[in-house]
Amino acid sequence: MFEQRSMIWDYLVFIIFVIASTFVALYSKFFGPKEKTKADFVFAAGRVSMGAMMLSIARGTLGVRSFLGFPSELFYRGSTMWETLYGMVLAYPIVCFVFVPVYFSLGITSVYQYLDLRFKSRLVRCLASGTYIVRQLLNQGVTVFTPCVALNTIIGVPYWVSIFGITIVSIIFTVMGGLKAAILADVMQGLTMIAVSVAIIIQGSIEAGGVGPVIRTNVDGGRLNFFNLDMDPTIRVTTFSALVGQLFMSLSIFGCQQNFVQRYCSMKSQKQVKKTLMCNIPVITVLFSLSWVVGMVIYAIYATCDPLSSGYIRNFDEILPFYVEDRFSAMPGILGLFLGCLFNGALSLNVSNLNSLATVTFEDFLRPIPALKGLKDKHQLYAIKAIGVVYGFVIMGMSFVVSLLSGVIESSMLVTSATSGPLLGVFLLAMLIPCCNWKGASVGVIAGHLTTLWITFGSLYVDKPPEEFLPLSTEGCTNETFSQLIMEAGGSIGLSMERKVLNLTEITTVEPTLASQPDLFTQIHSISYMYYSLIGCVITVTLGWIISYFTASPSDQYDENLVHPLARSIANYFPGKKRLYNDKTAAGEGKSVDDDKIPTISASSLERTHSASSTAYSQDVPIESEVYSTKL
């Protein structure tokens, strides 16, 4: 009876929170500005404020797993992964000054259209967009399933109900709200996440005796282990691998991923994009660090009685839901707000990615089909929404598969890291290597994928030492340690401890199986996944550059605006013949080309104003008043 009485307000708050989120899409559809074109749906037609865009980009960066995963990471492994913030922050100015100037003047709907423009190759474009689609589908299956674990553990909602609920609401958003609804959902979820995190930090700090005791407890427990300068590439994460690995992954995400570039192109000017990204650095720093501080507070409370070792949770990712259930059970509605935050986090990310996945699929795979080339803008919008609905159900199916497996979250992280490098590499080849052609780009990206995937899957078959946690303690566990709700659900603390200690003994007594001098195969496949993005990017760029140099031909010409201005300037100092570009001239003065083979870019001005009714985003048809000629 205690549990039922205490949970009724949480159920109510959770339901209200989900309904409020759904109302955002309904308001956008029936009361907000109408979507008249595909640009309105895909880019929100520039009607989103800079503050909302900043919070949306930050939430899209962190995701739901960071909200649950960072506290448990600090509690059981320490703060080294916190230092990935260095690479993430460093990526923002690079994206501002390398990627944005190239993208913003093109008038593209899919970021992978740029590769088609640059290399005049649909193969390169489809390799990149296919990588994005596979990666996002895998990640979204995990993202949708993640809050379902907490919902099932805390309030007993079956997995299928949670997965089906997130899918249906996501589809409603996708059909009715477009990108603007996704951004508003990000804002609502982001503000709620901040409120919940701050509440946990304040409550935990008070219980622990203040900020000072929290910090001292974490230092004494070895949790604040910053600046690990060990250069061994087989260590899971060090300061160096956190910086370099996250930098390359962040550049791939911020600079080459459709859902982020889509947000950049929805803004009014390039200046606003740069301002938004640079101002987002303190925002992402605070949001990223909040979850780690939450982990510090939780460790300060449970330092002498670990819930995992005492048998009250089944895996370390449950530590945050357990803490909220334990410490906030006497505050009606807080647990419901926490669960609603998780639910909405998965929801907003799912909506954003459904929008982007549908756009990429239509633009890169379906639109080139002859039967679909003549579709009106309105019909293209309907097609994108229909594809989004299909992807919603595909992700739902993948979430059900995830619920039957174990260790999928770690596998998803490995896949993301493995695919980030080649994707980033092909964009760097396009923007910064003027001599690169489609042959080098396609071979480079394929080789990068094969290499990183070979390392990734090979690591699953290499004998490794058992995973080690930082020291844990149950010495302070008593029948008064946890709340009445936890004790009634879990029974005697002594019995739970006895059961769990046996399991821990079995784990910690396993002997390492690595040889004292591992062979080359073992060494390669023991490399930390933090380096996978670096390896994939280096292989893609190096091989792509070499092959392009030896396979260059006059047909490799392209418009010079498709390469970063700095790269064009530097290229003039390299030995060899001067790079040939296509030059746009007045109609009739140059040699025309096949319109279907070379899509036209928009005006080369880097500062342009978006019009709500503009169709520049939705069509990559040639500009009739311009043809191309060749010059040195």
Side-chain angles (χ1 to χ4, degrees):
M1 293 299 293
F2 173 81
E3 182 175 356
Q4 292 177 352
R5 288 197 306 270
S6 64
M7 294 295 293
I8 187 169
W9 286 105
D10 296 301
Y11 287 126
L12 186 60
V13 169
F14 175 77
I15 293 172
I16 292 175
F17 200 72
V18 173
I19 292 175
S21 301
T22 309
F23 179 76
V24 173
L26 297 176
Y27 176 84
S28 177
K29 176 68 176 179
F30 296 109
F31 301 102
K34 304 299 181 183
E35 293 171 356
K36 298 179 181 179
T37 67
K38 183 174 66 175
D40 293 343
F41 179 80
V42 174
F43 295 114
R47 297 191 299 264
V48 179
S49 67
M50 190 176 80
M53 188 65 71
M54 287 170 57
L55 195 55
S56 176
I57 292 173
R59 282 302 307 138
T61 303
L62 298 179
V64 178
R65 282 170 291 173
S66 65
F67 188 41
L68 283 178
F70 290 165
S72 63
E73 175 74 19
L74 185 133
F75 195 108
Y76 293 102
R77 296 190 178 109
S79 62
T80 307
M81 191 69 76
W82 195 344
E83 296 182 278
T84 56
L85 179 63
Y86 309 152
M88 192 179 301
V89 168
L90 186 59
Y92 277 102
I94 297 176
V95 171
C96 281
F97 297 104
V98 175
F99 291 87
V100 172
V102 177
Y103 289 144
F104 202 80
S105 62
L106 300 183
I108 54 178
T109 306
S110 164
V111 65
Y112 309 108
Q113 283 179 249
Y114 165 71
L115 297 177
D116 201 352
L117 289 164
R118 169 64 175 82
F119 295 118
K120 294 178 287 184
S121 168
R122 191 158 296 280
L123 172 62
V124 178
R125 176 176 178 176
C126 290
L127 283 172
S129 56
T131 299
Y132 166 75
I133 290 172
V134 171
R135 182 171 73 181
Q136 291 305 100
L137 287 175
L138 290 172
N139 284 337
Q140 281 309 110
V142 178
T143 297
V144 170
F145 177 71
T146 299
C148 301
V149 176
L151 289 168
N152 178 264
T153 302
I154 296 175
I155 60 178
V157 177
Y159 289 145
W160 72 268
V161 173
S162 302
I163 294 173
F164 186 76
I166 292 175
T167 300
I168 294 302
V169 178
S170 298
I171 289 175
I172 292 174
F173 268 77
T174 301
V175 172
M176 293 187 172
L179 179 63
K180 186 174 183 180
I183 292 173
L184 293 177
D186 281 339
V187 171
M188 177 181 293
Q189 195 275 336
L191 293 175
T192 306
M193 187 201 75
I194 294 172
V196 171
S197 298
V198 170
I200 293 172
I201 293 170
I202 292 175
Q203 185 276 338
S205 298
I206 293 174
E207 183 177 347
V211 176
V214 170
I215 297 175
R216 284 195 300 273
T217 302
N218 280 268
V219 172
D220 294 341
R223 264 56 190 177
L224 300 184
N225 47 351
F226 296 106
F227 306 116
N228 179 358
L229 302 180
D230 195 324
M231 300 300 291
D232 183 355
T234 63
I235 298 177
R236 178 175 175 265
V237 58
T238 64
T239 300
F240 180 75
S241 66
L243 169 61
V244 175
Q246 187 62 54
L247 173 61
F248 278 79
M249 282 190 279
S250 294
L251 286 175
S252 178
I253 293 170
F254 298 159
C256 313
Q257 193 159 293
Q258 172 69 15
N259 53 332
F260 283 93
V261 177
Q262 207 167 308
R263 282 162 165 74
Y264 309 153
C265 293
S266 72
M267 289 183 248
K268 294 181 179 180
S269 66
Q270 185 184 166
K271 182 178 180 181
Q272 187 185 32
V273 178
K274 290 183 177 180
K275 183 178 179 181
T276 300
L277 288 176
M278 295 307 293
C279 291
N280 209 49
I281 292 177
V283 175
I284 195 67
T285 300
V286 172
L287 289 180
F288 186 88
S289 299
L290 267 179
S291 294
W292 291 98
V293 176
V294 168
M296 290 175 60
V297 169
I298 296 175
Y299 178 74
I301 300 300
Y302 293 147
T304 59
C305 186
D306 169 37
L308 179 63
S309 302
S310 57
Y312 277 84
I313 59 176
R314 289 167 292 185
N315 64 72
F316 54 82
D317 283 330
E318 295 178 6
I319 188 69
L320 179 58
F322 176 84
Y323 179 84
V324 174
E325 184 180 16
D326 179 31
R327 271 6 193 208
F328 289 87
S329 59
M331 301 175 65
I334 297 297
L335 188 56
L337 188 64
F338 169 76
L339 294 174
C341 184
L342 289 177
F343 186 93
N344 262 29
L347 173 65
S348 60
L349 287 173
N350 203 34
V351 172
S352 174
N353 282 284
L354 285 178
N355 185 297
S356 302
L357 283 167
T359 301
V360 168
T361 301
F362 179 79
E363 294 293 335
D364 295 346
F365 292 97
L366 298 183
R367 192 175 176 189
I369 298 175
L372 300 178
K373 279 189 174 181
L375 280 181
K376 295 181 179 180
D377 185 83
K378 180 175 68 174
H379 295 150
Q380 292 180 32
L381 174 60
Y382 293 156
I384 289 175
K385 290 186 176 184
I387 295 169
V389 172
V390 173
Y391 272 134
F393 286 107
V394 171
I395 292 172
M396 181 177 71
M398 296 188 69
S399 299
F400 281 113
V401 174
V402 169
S403 67
L404 302 176
L405 303 175
S406 61
V408 179
I409 292 179
E410 185 73 10
S411 299
S412 176
M413 291 176 63
L414 293 175
V415 170
T416 301
S417 180
T419 55
S420 292
L423 189 60
L424 173 62
V426 73
F427 276 89
L428 292 180
L429 284 171
M431 293 181 179
L432 302 180
I433 313 296
C435 71
C436 187
N437 58 25
W438 74 270
K439 304 178 191 72
S442 57
V443 172
V445 72
I446 291 173
H449 277 311
L450 291 177
T451 302
T452 50
L453 289 176
W454 173 68
I455 297 174
T456 300
F457 288 108
S459 66
L460 303 177
Y461 298 96
V462 172
D463 291 329
K464 299 178 182 179
E467 184 178 7
E468 295 182 0
F469 292 153
L470 292 176
L472 303 169
S473 174
T474 56
E475 294 179 357
C477 292
T478 68
N479 287 326
E480 304 297 327
T481 301
F482 303 120
S483 67
Q484 181 183 354
L485 177 63
I486 297 296
M487 297 306 296
E488 288 185 354
S492 170
I493 189 75
L495 292 177
S496 298
M497 286 177 60
E498 181 181 357
R499 181 177 64 253
K500 193 61 183 181
V501 167
L502 289 175
N503 292 335
L504 287 176
T505 302
E506 293 174 2
I507 295 174
T508 55
T509 55
V510 175
E511 295 295 332
T513 56
L514 280 176
S516 58
Q517 293 183 343
D519 56 29
L520 180 61
F521 179 86
T522 301
Q523 290 178 332
I524 293 175
H525 291 287
S526 298
I527 293 175
S528 168
Y529 64 80
M530 295 299 296
Y531 290 105
Y532 289 179
S533 57
L534 170 63
I535 294 171
C537 182
V538 170
I539 289 175
T540 301
V541 172
T542 303
L543 196 58
W545 197 342
I546 293 173
I547 291 178
S548 296
Y549 181 83
F550 288 105
T551 61
S553 69
S555 63
D556 293 337
Q557 297 175 37
Y558 53 87
D559 190 277
E560 63 180 4
N561 290 319
L562 295 171
V563 180
H564 195 279
L566 182 60
R568 294 201 303 268
S569 301
I570 295 176
N572 292 330
Y573 296 98
F574 278 71
K577 295 181 179 179
K578 189 175 181 180
R579 180 72 219 158
L580 296 177
Y581 297 105
N582 287 326
D583 181 37
K584 290 188 290 185
T585 61
E589 295 182 6
K591 183 180 178 181
S592 62
V593 296
D594 188 346
D595 291 338
D596 290 334
K597 293 183 179 179
I598 304 181
T600 301
I601 62 173
S602 63
S604 61
S605 170
L606 294 181
E607 296 292 338
R608 58 176 170 75
T609 302
H610 289 235
S611 170
S613 59
S614 173
T615 59
Y617 308 107
S618 59
Q619 301 185 32
D620 51 355
V621 296
I623 300 175
E624 295 179 357
S625 61
E626 295 180 339
V627 293
Y628 292 84
S629 63
T630 302
K631 69 174 183 179
L632 290 176

